């Protein structure tokens, strides 16, 4: 069974600092990995998707890397802003369609 | 990409009653799923909504408690039956494209 772990569970930084969020998974036989953002009490917004054959994806201030062999992905958020405050979830998709989610990292960016 | 509309966005219900949540996708998708997110927890898959046949439930979830319909490739419903306070959660609908998963805005359910 795929186990997904996110470290740290919570993170508080001053505005402008770069954020580094980690995701690890136990089974490297994945189809892709997706990073989501969740605001309190809301649904999930897809941020980045990395296919198993890719090493990284970038969108604006966000960059996600994938090291499939070691079972790790990292989400970098550059120059953080208070609007980046949310919970960030990592989800791994195996060769079927069922996603396995980490518990998330709750980020607070202080103005 | 796919846009998912889910309703209601929130509800407060009496124990013992049932609530049906609707999920509409703006394009035809092969796979639709229902998740539950209990307070402070991550997402747990309830079931895969199969078009034209019975849903496939994950361990710990049963059809009598969470009946699911999927009459076509763009619409699904989840009913939470005979509710108790332990059912208070966010319920999320998801659609799976060829690569990417999309989620609705969730239904925040409180059972009193």
């Amino acid at each position: 069974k795929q186990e997904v772990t996110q470290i740290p569970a919570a993170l508080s930084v001053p505005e402008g600092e770069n954020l580094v969020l980690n995701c690890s998974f136990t089974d490297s036989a994945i189809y892709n990995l997706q990073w989501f953002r969740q605001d309190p009490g809301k649904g999930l917004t897809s941020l980045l998707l990395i296919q198993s054959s890719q090493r990284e994806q970038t969108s604006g201030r966000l960059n996600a890397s994938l090291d499939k062999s070691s079972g790790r992905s990292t989400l970098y958020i550059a120059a953080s802003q208070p609007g980046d405050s949310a919970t960030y979830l990592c989800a791994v998709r195996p060769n079927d369609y069922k996603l396995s989610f980490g518990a998330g990292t709750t980020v607070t960016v202080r103005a | 990409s796919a846009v998912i509309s889910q309703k209601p966005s929130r509800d407060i219900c009496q124990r013992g009653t049932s609530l049906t949540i609707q999920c509409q996708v703006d394009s035809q998708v092969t796979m639709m799923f229902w998740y539950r997110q209990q307070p402070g927890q991550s997402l747990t898959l309830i079931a895969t909504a199969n078009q034209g046949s019975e849903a496939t439930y994950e361990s710990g979830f049963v059809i009598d408690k969470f009946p699911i319909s999927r009459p076509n490739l763009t619409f699904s419903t989840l009913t939470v039956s005979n509710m108790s306070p332990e059912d208070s959660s966010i319920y999320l609908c998801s659609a799976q494209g060829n690569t990417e998963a999309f989620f609705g805005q969730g239904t925040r359910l409180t059972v009193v």
Side-chain angles (χ1 to χ4, degrees):
Chain A
K1 180 188 172 187
Q2 179 75 270
E3 300 285 344
V4 182
T5 303
Q6 290 187 247
I7 294 172
L11 189 58
S12 179
V13 299
E15 182 176 4
E17 194 165 299
N18 297 332
L19 292 165
V20 181
L21 310 180
N22 297 298
C23 172
S24 63
F25 48 94
T26 54
D27 187 347
S28 63
I30 67 170
Y31 184 74
N32 62 37
L33 183 146
Q34 208 166 342
W35 283 93
F36 293 91
R37 170 186 171 134
Q38 185 177 31
D39 293 297
K42 301 295 186 181
L44 276 62
T45 300
S46 179
L47 297 174
L48 288 169
L49 179 144
I50 310 177
Q51 299 287 10
S52 63
S53 59
Q54 297 176 319
R55 298 283 293 181
E56 67 176 338
Q57 277 288 340
T58 299
S59 176
R61 294 185 293 114
L62 277 60
N63 174 276
S65 67
L66 174 65
D67 184 342
K68 198 174 72 166
S69 61
S70 66
R72 287 186 294 190
S73 177
T74 302
L75 177 67
Y76 302 90
I77 303 177
S80 61
Q81 304 168 358
D84 294 328
S85 298
T87 297
Y88 292 83
L89 294 162
C90 162
V92 173
R93 178 184 158 183
N95 288 326
D96 65 17
Y97 287 89
K98 298 180 184 179
L99 299 180
S100 294
F101 281 87
T105 295
T106 299
V107 171
T108 303
V109 180
R110 308 186 302 272
Chain B
S1 65
V3 176
I4 299 177
S5 301
Q6 190 175 332
K7 59 181 181 182
S9 59
R10 60 172 57 212
D11 208 341
I12 301 173
C13 299
Q14 296 290 325
R15 67 178 67 199
T17 62
S18 298
L19 176 72
T20 296
I21 303 167
Q22 297 181 3
C23 177
Q24 178 74 55
V25 188
D26 69 343
S27 58
Q28 293 187 347
V29 292
T30 304
M31 310 294 289
M32 291 182 73
F33 304 91
W34 288 97
Y35 289 84
R36 180 175 73 181
Q37 187 178 29
Q38 295 178 299
Q41 305 293 317
S42 191
L43 278 71
T44 300
L45 180 63
I46 297 172
T48 303
N50 300 311
Q51 192 264 327
S53 65
E54 194 171 284
T56 304
Y57 290 84
E58 298 299 305
S59 176
F61 297 96
V62 295
I63 187 171
D64 290 346
K65 177 67 176 177
F66 298 102
I68 289 170
S69 77
R70 190 175 174 199
N72 57 52
L73 291 175
T74 64
F75 185 79
S76 179
T77 66
L78 167 74
T79 298
V80 186
S81 303
N82 189 24
M83 288 183 285
S84 67
E86 291 71 36
D87 294 320
S88 297
S89 296
I90 298 173
Y91 292 86
L92 295 129
C93 168
S94 174
Q96 185 83 45
N98 287 335
T99 54
E100 194 169 356
F102 303 94
F103 283 80
Q105 284 303 295
T107 296
R108 190 167 196 170
L109 171 62
T110 302
V111 184
V112 296

